Amino acid sequence: MKRKRALGVVFAGVLLLGVLSGCSLTGTKPIPKGMDKEALLTAGEEVVNLLLAGEYETVVGMLREDIRTPDGQPNREIKPEHIEELLQYHTDPEEVGTFVKIDDSTTMGETDPEPIGIAVFKCEYTKKEVAIGIAYDLEMNLTGISIAHS
C-alpha cells in the first residue's frame, strides 16, 4: 500500500518535465489496454479545472479510497490543504505568473505498481509552462496528481 501512495503523490515527474521541454514523449508507455483515451483526457481535464478553480475538497473526494487514506490510517489522510499546497508550490505567481489556458494535452501509461493511464495537460502561464498530470486506474478512479513547471 505504501508504494501505491507514492504513486498518488509523485508519478511520471521526469515525463512531465519532458512535456514541458518540448520532447515528443517517444518511448513513453501507451495507456493500458481497454482504457479510452478520450475518456481519460475528459476526466483529467475536469480535475485540472477543479484544481484551477480551488475546488480541492472535491478533488480529494475523487481520489481512490486507498490513495486518500493509505493503509486506512486517518492520520495519513490526504486533505484538501495538501492538494492546495501542491498546486500553490508549483504555480506560485511570482515564479510562473498567472494561468492563461490549457495549451496541449497527451496521454501516457504506467504499469508499476499497477496499470494506470495518465492525462498530461500543458498549461500556459504568463511566465512559464506548467504540466499537470492526472492519473487513473483501469476503473477510472483518480489515483494521482503531479505538477511540474519548466
Side-chain angles (χ1 to χ4, degrees):
M1 287 293 193
K2 288 181 183 179
R3 193 159 178 194
K4 283 186 179 180
R5 180 151 197 260
L7 175 70
V9 176
V10 176
F11 66 88
V14 172
L15 297 174
L16 290 179
L17 291 174
V19 170
L20 288 173
S21 65
C23 295
S24 65
L25 296 177
T26 303
T28 60
K29 297 176 186 170
I31 62 174
K33 289 185 194 268
M35 187 173 267
D36 179 20
K37 179 179 180 176
E38 290 308 313
L40 178 60
L41 288 169
T42 299
E45 187 170 1
E46 177 187 357
V47 172
V48 170
N49 287 329
L50 288 168
L51 289 170
L52 295 172
E55 297 292 328
Y56 311 116
E57 190 168 330
T58 302
V59 173
V60 168
M62 296 169 76
L63 285 166
R64 193 173 70 191
E65 181 61 32
D66 64 317
I67 301 293
R68 186 173 53 244
T69 309
D71 302 322
Q73 297 179 13
N75 62 325
R76 295 182 58 211
E77 183 174 14
I78 295 175
K79 298 183 186 307
E81 53 267 23
H82 299 141
I83 303 294
E84 181 179 15
E85 289 168 8
L86 174 70
L87 184 67
Q88 288 179 351
Y89 178 79
H90 291 286
T91 61
D92 177 13
E94 296 275 328
E95 190 168 350
V96 302
T98 56
F99 176 77
V100 177
K101 66 180 178 176
I102 295 175
D103 194 36
D104 198 7
S105 62
T106 190
T107 60
M108 63 183 76
E110 187 53 67
T111 56
D112 187 30
E114 68 180 288
I116 60 167
I118 305 167
V120 181
F121 299 89
K122 188 174 173 183
C123 300
E124 181 183 333
Y125 280 72
T126 53
K127 295 181 182 178
K128 290 186 178 182
E129 291 180 333
V130 175
I132 302 176
I134 309 295
Y136 288 90
D137 64 15
L138 294 175
E139 290 78 38
M140 292 300 293
N141 296 303
L142 180 61
T143 60
I145 298 166
S146 183
I147 304 171
H149 59 77
S150 57

